[in-house]
Amino acid sequence: MTEILVVAEQREGVLKDVSLENISLAREMAGNDGNVTVLAMGSGIKPVGERLSLTNADVVLIADDPHLKDYTYDAYRHVLKKVAEERRPDVIIGGHTSLGMDFFPGISVALDMGVATDCVRAVRNGGIVTVTRQLYGGKIDGEFSVEGACIITMRPGVCKPCSGGSVSPTPFAADFSDLKNRTSVRGYEKPPREDVDIEKAKIVVSVGRGIEKKENLPIFEELVNSLNGSVLAGSRPVIDSGWLPKGRQVGVSGKTVKPRLYLALGISGAIQHLSGMSGSDFIVAVNKDRDAPIFKVANVGVVDDIFKVVPAIVKELKNQAQAK
Amino acid sequence: MKIIVLAKAVPEVRNVRLALKGGDIDRSDLNYIINEQDDYALEEALRQKEKNGGEVVVLTLGEEAGRKGITQMVRQCYAKGADRAIMALDASYGDWDDAVKARIASSIISSEGADIIIGGSQSFDTASSRFGPMVAELLDIPHATLITALRNEEGGRITVYRDLEQGVQEIVELALPCLVTVQTGINTPRYASLNKIIAATKKEIKSTSLTELQISAQQIEAWNRVRRVSVAFPTEKESNTLFLQGKPEEEAAQLVKLLGEKGLIQR
């Protein structure tokens, strides 16, 4: 019988959406007579068990223990190894998240299973798992086959959440007496509050690597000044270079924005960026590279030099203001 | 302090139209550059050396066909201050799963020995973020991925900050020896001066091979679990993107008109 194991992810007792998405994928892979097991790890995670009990998984295992309060590779590996030994999964599914990136590659070696990460599609046919991954910054799609029992991590948001159901959670008691934890979490640091809240703005003017240097920022600030209700934000390279403060970062490790209008200027559209802005109502992208992935989410595209187009937009806006 | 930097030369594909060839992209006309995150890893290693003394060794795996570009990348690392480099190139590299690459790297590292192994959190070409933590598991040492800061502590320990989602940082302490993978922005990588790059052409790069490492074709076959079936350009999902045409002034005028008509900007 096919056994698919979903490793659910939670933070502070809140289940991540990708876990529900992965249960629906597991259901597909398990087929009619297969079994879907979900494992959640944490400490004091009763709400997670409650949420998982309302899904169409077959078995929900809750490893609730103070050793699992924070994610640490060793404690998670300890539990997953035990669960994998018991359930002998054909496929283990996790999320391609910060935790997933840290955890699954190593555990794949420990369990001697192949691992494919950041998959945007996955199917299992005749015991073979085939996945699609994005390569070269989203310019190429690659299809890969994974031999034998394997681990896959899915990009958040690519699968639909699972259907409802009813299953009673089972506590999974792991003995931690032989655990030697080599890393310890000392705490968490939340980002500092910023003067400008880019999440609330109606218009976000966002600049990327294409602006080339900090000295070029005034060109884009002028556009912000000409557009009522707009704020200046940036993609990771701009924040990394210290050209804009951290609070202005759009993307996975920054903020998620959904303005009415998003102007992406000199941004190629790495997935980490796209996931932070693709929910915007209307997206305009200006980039020299016709194949830049940003154009795939844009409503309007301009394949041209930002240093020519942006001043022209500013001029056009000024002309209009004067004409009124 | 001995630090091994895991560096990868990747094809530069920004502002380039790619072509496909034999189940992969055609690399023959592409330039190789150091993978961006790996450049930050090298910088972090050099700063460790400047602070604590020691040695920085660059380890790179790659395909034989990319030898020229990979050699140039290593010279750049030398010009920036790396002390030694080890290169393991193979004609089949392009068909290998990270599980194979990680085993080759860990075999080299275990005979080298190191206090810190440091690499980028992902590579631009395949972006699977598997290599580093796999190497750590194979070497049986602790690891931390996606780090944005590294601080030395007393008693052979380090504290790192890890990127979680939504700008939250996780503060993790781990004992040496360990492996970390860095995010961009952890530092500002230095530039290599032309003089130093020229001087670096004379510096030896140690080469090793599967034969020398006593890794057999059968082992590679057994480790190679994830195999590329095909590559393709992403299917345009009936792209609704409206591309504006003309000179910059014309494009700007069309855009402002369109945004005004849609009520997205105040006129």
Side-chain angles (χ1 to χ4, degrees), chain A residues 32-66:
Chain A
N32 290 332
D33 47 3
N35 191 69
V36 173
T37 302
V38 183
L39 166 68
M41 293 177 259
S43 179
I45 52 164
K46 198 156 171 259
V48 175
E50 280 163 5
R51 178 65 193 90
L52 289 171
S53 73
L54 303 173
T55 65
N56 60 347
D58 300 307
V59 178
V60 171
L61 300 176
I62 305 291
D64 197 328
D65 191 282

XYZ file of all heavy atoms in Angstrom, chain A residues 32-66:
247
model
N -6.500 5.839 -4.435
C -7.701 5.469 -3.686
C -7.419 4.628 -2.453
O -8.057 4.790 -1.417
C -8.666 4.698 -4.600
C -9.256 5.623 -5.649
O -9.389 6.824 -5.414
N -9.584 5.069 -6.806
N -6.444 3.719 -2.577
C -6.226 2.809 -1.447
C -4.978 3.135 -0.647
O -4.613 2.409 0.261
C -6.198 1.352 -1.934
C -5.311 1.197 -3.173
O -4.705 2.215 -3.579
O -5.214 0.083 -3.709
N -4.314 4.244 -0.984
C -3.099 4.604 -0.262
C -3.415 5.311 1.052
O -4.564 5.651 1.345
N -2.357 5.526 1.825
C -2.515 6.113 3.153
C -1.747 7.434 3.250
O -0.601 7.517 2.827
C -1.977 5.123 4.193
C -2.332 5.537 5.594
O -3.494 5.500 5.972
N -1.341 5.956 6.360
N -2.403 8.449 3.781
C -1.741 9.736 3.987
C -1.572 9.994 5.486
O -2.555 10.061 6.229
C -2.535 10.904 3.356
C -1.911 12.253 3.726
C -2.612 10.750 1.844
N -0.324 10.090 5.915
C -0.017 10.389 7.312
C 0.551 11.801 7.381
O 1.353 12.190 6.530
C 1.032 9.392 7.854
O 0.522 8.079 7.705
C 1.341 9.654 9.312
N 0.121 12.537 8.386
C 0.676 13.876 8.589
C 1.396 13.881 9.937
O 0.864 13.382 10.929
C -0.421 14.961 8.601
C 0.203 16.346 8.742
C -1.254 14.897 7.338
N 2.593 14.446 9.945
C 3.348 14.577 11.192
C 3.549 16.054 11.486
O 4.017 16.804 10.629
C 4.719 13.892 11.049
C 5.754 14.221 12.136
C 5.341 13.636 13.489
C 7.141 13.705 11.738
N 3.161 16.469 12.687
C 3.445 17.843 13.109
C 4.335 17.794 14.340
O 4.127 16.976 15.236
C 2.153 18.593 13.410
N 5.344 18.666 14.369
C 6.262 18.714 15.507
C 6.232 20.100 16.134
O 6.107 21.101 15.429
C 7.687 18.408 15.032
C 7.867 16.994 14.541
S 9.550 16.689 13.913
C 9.277 16.797 12.154
N 6.352 20.134 17.463
C 6.367 21.413 18.154
C 6.163 21.196 19.641
O 6.200 20.059 20.130
N 5.946 22.302 20.343
C 5.681 22.200 21.777
C 4.462 23.050 22.099
O 4.416 24.230 21.745
C 6.899 22.691 22.559
O 6.634 22.617 23.945
N 3.466 22.429 22.712
C 2.218 23.144 22.986
C 1.483 23.470 21.703
O 1.073 24.608 21.475
N 1.328 22.463 20.846
C 0.758 22.733 19.511
C -0.633 22.107 19.351
O -0.986 21.616 18.286
C 1.698 22.267 18.382
C 2.122 20.803 18.583
C 2.917 23.174 18.286
C 2.730 20.176 17.323
N -1.424 22.157 20.416
C -2.779 21.613 20.352
C -3.582 22.201 19.189
O -4.264 21.460 18.463
C -3.488 21.886 21.689
C -4.709 21.014 21.895
C -5.058 20.831 23.366
C -6.398 20.138 23.496
N -7.502 21.051 23.801
N -3.506 23.532 18.973
C -4.284 24.104 17.859
C -3.903 23.520 16.493
O -4.744 23.427 15.611
C -3.932 25.605 17.901
C -3.323 25.851 19.225
C -2.756 24.556 19.710
N -2.640 23.114 16.364
C -2.188 22.529 15.095
C -2.874 21.179 14.887
O -3.368 20.873 13.802
C -0.650 22.372 15.085
C -0.179 21.653 13.835
C 0.022 23.737 15.187
N -2.921 20.390 15.952
C -3.615 19.099 15.889
C -5.086 19.284 15.566
O -5.658 18.537 14.759
N -5.689 20.303 16.168
C -7.110 20.569 15.909
C -7.348 20.928 14.450
O -8.285 20.444 13.825
C -7.606 21.695 16.826
C -7.907 21.190 18.239
C -8.010 22.305 19.271
O -7.940 23.492 18.886
O -8.126 21.957 20.460
N -6.470 21.766 13.921
C -6.628 22.149 12.516
C -6.445 20.943 11.596
O -7.204 20.727 10.657
C -5.618 23.258 12.149
C -5.650 23.707 10.696
C -6.977 24.362 10.349
N -7.192 24.549 8.914
C -7.765 23.657 8.112
N -8.159 22.483 8.599
N -7.951 23.915 6.831
N -5.430 20.123 11.901
C -5.153 18.952 11.050
C -6.257 17.896 11.151
O -6.466 17.121 10.221
C -3.788 18.348 11.407
C -2.568 19.178 11.003
C -1.288 18.591 11.597
C -2.447 19.280 9.480
N -6.973 17.884 12.277
C -8.045 16.896 12.449
C -9.208 17.171 11.496
O -10.047 16.323 11.270
C -8.537 16.890 13.903
O -9.288 18.064 14.143
N -9.250 18.372 10.943
C -10.339 18.736 10.029
C -9.954 18.531 8.556
O -10.599 19.050 7.658
C -10.732 20.204 10.249
C -11.149 20.578 11.675
C -11.353 22.078 11.801
C -12.406 19.817 12.078
N -8.866 17.797 8.312
C -8.419 17.574 6.928
C -8.750 16.149 6.488
O -9.152 15.315 7.307
C -6.892 17.761 6.808
O -6.252 16.735 7.574
C -6.455 19.121 7.317
N -8.535 15.875 5.207
C -8.800 14.534 4.685
C -7.570 13.623 4.714
O -7.444 12.724 3.899
C -9.409 14.604 3.281
C -8.476 15.299 2.284
O -7.498 15.928 2.683
N -8.778 15.180 1.007
N -6.679 13.847 5.673
C -5.569 12.909 5.891
C -6.133 11.668 6.597
O -7.222 11.709 7.158
C -4.500 13.565 6.750
N -5.366 10.559 6.550
C -5.827 9.335 7.213
C -5.328 9.244 8.644
O -6.028 8.755 9.528
C -5.342 8.106 6.433
C -5.876 8.101 5.018
O -7.112 8.212 4.867
O -5.077 8.030 4.078
N -4.103 9.677 8.849
C -3.499 9.604 10.187
C -2.832 10.947 10.482
O -2.148 11.497 9.619
C -2.428 8.481 10.247
C -1.769 8.427 11.621
C -3.023 7.129 9.877
N -3.034 11.472 11.676
C -2.355 12.701 12.087
C -1.538 12.393 13.337
O -2.085 11.982 14.351
C -3.353 13.845 12.355
C -2.641 15.037 12.988
C -4.064 14.261 11.073
N -0.221 12.541 13.216
C 0.667 12.291 14.346
C 1.144 13.622 14.903
O 1.612 14.478 14.157
C 1.889 11.474 13.900
C 1.630 10.095 13.294
C 2.955 9.489 12.833
C 0.947 9.188 14.305
N 1.004 13.790 16.206
C 1.442 15.036 16.824
C 2.588 14.732 17.792
O 2.388 14.057 18.805
C 0.282 15.713 17.596
C -0.933 15.934 16.686
C 0.758 17.020 18.232
C -0.743 16.976 15.601
N 3.780 15.207 17.446
C 4.920 15.086 18.348
C 5.011 16.403 19.116
O 5.479 17.407 18.580
C 6.193 14.803 17.568
N 4.489 16.389 20.328
C 4.401 17.611 21.136
C 5.345 17.450 22.324
O 5.088 16.648 23.218
C 2.948 17.796 21.598
C 2.680 19.217 22.070
O 3.609 19.840 22.615
O 1.538 19.687 21.898
N 6.448 18.184 22.294
C 7.467 17.972 23.328
C 8.304 19.239 23.465
O 8.585 19.912 22.468
C 8.374 16.806 22.900
C 9.272 16.348 24.032
O 10.289 17.029 24.314
O 8.956 15.295 24.643
N 8.709 19.569 24.702
C 9.551 20.767 24.890
C 10.832 20.756 24.048
O 11.337 21.817 23.688
C 9.899 20.727 26.385
C 8.825 19.914 27.013
C 8.370 18.927 25.976
